[in-house]
Amino acid sequence: MMAYGDSDNECVYVFGYGSLMWRPGFAYIRKFDGYIMNMKRVFWQGSMDHRGTPAAPGRVVTLAHADQEGHKTWGVVFVIPKEGAYEILDSLDYREKGGYLRVRMDVFSSPCGSGINDDDGGRSPILSARGAYVYYGDETNRQYLGPAPACQIASQIYSSFGRSGPNIDYLLNVAKEMDRMNVKDDHITELMEHIRLLQCAEPPFDASTPVPLYVDDSLPSSSPPRPILCMRKERQRRNSISSGEAKGKIVVSDSAMSAISNLGKALLAAWIVQVEGVFQHTELIAICDLAGTVFARGCVSYSSDEIARIQGAHADNIPSLLGLFRGE
C-alpha cells in the first residue's frame, strides 16, 4: 500500500462527504478526491437550522457502518497547513455543532482514479491522507433521525427549508459531486429517483402571482454571507409562498426591483432601504418597492433584527456586523 501525507506531519487533512465538498468555508492549499473504507453516506442526520427548523427538521448526511466489507464513500480531501489549522478546526467544530463528532480516518485514492467502474485494477489503493479529520453524527446525538424508507426521507427533504435554503438543494449538490467524480452512490441515486417523482406530481405554478424567492445555495465558497433572498427556478414551495401570510416587509431600492424582477438576481443587503415588522429567518416576507407595492415574496435568510443591522452594508461586512459564522 502506497502512502503520502499525514495529519501529524507537515499538513492537516479534512475529509468532506457532505456540504464541505462544495462549500468548505476555509482556505486550503489544495484538494483532491478520495474515499474512506467500510462506511456509507446516509441522510440520517437531522438539521434544525440550516436545512430545516426544530418543528420541521430537514435531513443531511452522516456516516454509518457499511453493510459490505470494502464499501467506499467518496468525498473531497482538503489539505491545510499546520499553521492556522487549529483556528480552522475550531470554526468547523462550530459549523458542525449540530450533533457531529470530529474523528480521524484514513482516506484512500485509487490508482485508477475515481469512477463507477473503479475496481483499482487489482492494484493496492493509495493511502493519500492518514488520519484525516472527519465529522459525523452517530445515533447518540440529539438531532439524529436514523434510517427510514427512501420515499419518506425524500419527502422530508423535498418539503424542508432552513437558514441555508431548501433541503433539496443540499441533496442536489451531493448528487452533483457524485456525478463530477463519476461515482455511483446507491443511497443518493434512490433518493433522487423519489425526488423526481415528487417534482412530477407538483401542480403547475400560477405565473400571475408575485415571483417567489429563495436563498441561493449555489454561491461560491468565497462569498460566505447568504443573500437575503434569491430567485429560484424550481417550482418547489411556490404555491405555499404565493398564498401564505407575510410576516413582514422589506423595502428596496429601484435598482433592486429591476435586478430581481427582470434578471432574477439575489436580493443583497446593500439594496435594502427599510425593514417593517418582526420576523425570524425562514419566515415568509414581502418585498416592496419605494412606493410600497409588493412585487415579490419569499422565505428570508435573516431575522428582522439582523436585516436592520446589515441593511445597506456590503456583503463582505455582514459577518462582522452580525458576529456570526454561517456554515452549513
Side-chain angles (χ1 to χ4, degrees):
M1 178 180 293
M2 301 174 59
Y4 67 89
D6 193 322
S7 283
D8 288 323
N9 203 348
E10 68 280 357
C11 294
V12 173
Y13 298 90
V14 176
F15 178 75
Y17 58 94
S19 63
L20 283 178
M21 292 189 293
W22 64 87
R23 193 169 66 232
F26 55 83
Y28 53 88
I29 300 172
R30 63 187 180 90
K31 65 178 182 178
F32 59 89
D33 299 334
Y35 61 85
I36 54 176
M37 296 286 290
N38 302 322
M39 302 294 284
K40 61 182 180 181
R41 176 182 13 242
V42 286
F43 272 82
W44 293 359
Q45 179 70 10
S47 176
M48 301 181 184
D49 47 12
H50 291 291
R51 297 297 173 178
T53 64
R59 280 184 178 260
V60 292
V61 295
T62 184
L63 296 171
H65 290 286
D67 303 322
Q68 295 181 341
E69 184 75 17
H71 180 87
K72 302 174 184 177
T73 292
W74 284 88
V76 178
V77 177
F78 298 92
V79 184
I80 57 179
K82 275 226 163 175
E83 183 179 356
Y86 288 114
E87 289 79 5
I88 290 175
L89 291 174
D90 283 346
S91 69
L92 287 174
D93 288 346
Y94 182 81
R95 169 174 171 165
E96 308 293 348
K97 65 180 180 178
Y100 286 87
L101 303 172
R102 191 213 304 169
V103 298
R104 300 182 76 170
M105 299 183 183
D106 292 339
V107 182
F108 301 88
S109 295
S110 168
C112 305
S114 61
I116 294 174
N117 299 316
D118 173 26
D119 60 0
D120 294 334
R123 290 177 284 176
S124 297
I126 300 170
L127 177 56
S128 53
R130 188 192 308 274
Y133 289 105
V134 184
Y135 289 84
Y136 88 103
D138 63 15
E139 64 275 6
T140 63
N141 80 82
R142 63 183 181 85
Q143 294 196 35
Y144 182 78
L145 298 179
C151 59
Q152 179 180 325
I153 294 177
S155 179
Q156 186 172 353
I157 291 172
Y158 191 68
S159 61
S160 297
F161 186 100
R163 182 183 292 270
S164 291
N167 199 176
I168 189 175
D169 283 359
Y170 182 100
L171 170 59
L172 292 174
N173 279 324
V174 173
K176 286 178 183 177
E177 285 295 310
M178 296 302 99
D179 288 342
R180 179 186 64 78
M181 299 180 200
N182 196 26
V183 170
K184 187 176 187 297
D185 186 310
D186 291 337
H187 183 60
I188 303 303
T189 299
E190 186 177 16
L191 291 177
M192 288 298 296
E193 290 175 352
H194 286 285
I195 290 294
R196 293 186 186 97
L197 292 175
L198 290 169
Q199 289 175 328
C200 290
E202 184 83 14
F205 173 62
D206 183 1
S208 65
T209 58
V211 66
L213 305 170
Y214 299 87
V215 294
D216 186 8
D217 192 41
S218 61
L219 292 180
S221 57
S222 60
S223 304
R226 313 310 306 149
I228 309 303
L229 297 161
C230 186
M231 189 78 70
R232 300 295 300 180
K233 294 181 180 179
E234 291 90 336
R235 292 177 298 178
Q236 177 203 9
R237 293 176 57 90
R238 286 190 170 187
N239 290 336
S240 60
I241 282 182
S242 298
S243 60
E245 178 184 357
K247 302 297 184 181
K249 294 181 180 179
I250 292 179
V251 180
V252 299
S253 63
D254 291 337
S255 58
M257 179 181 175
S258 175
I260 294 171
S261 298
N262 301 326
L263 302 177
K265 297 291 186 179
L267 170 56
L268 304 178
W271 290 335
I272 298 176
V273 176
Q274 185 177 345
V275 183
E276 299 180 8
V278 177
F279 48 83
Q280 302 301 318
H281 79 275
T282 75
E283 288 192 314
L284 179 65
I285 64 166
I287 311 297
C288 307
D289 60 19
L290 294 175
T293 303
V294 175
F295 67 90
R297 293 153 62 86
C299 295
V300 72
S301 298
Y302 299 89
S303 68
S304 53
D305 177 66
E306 290 175 318
I307 294 176
R309 290 155 61 188
I310 64 176
Q311 71 179 60
H314 188 277
D316 292 342
N317 298 325
I318 290 178
S320 61
L321 289 173
L322 295 178
L324 295 174
F325 175 82
R326 292 180 178 272
E328 181 63 36

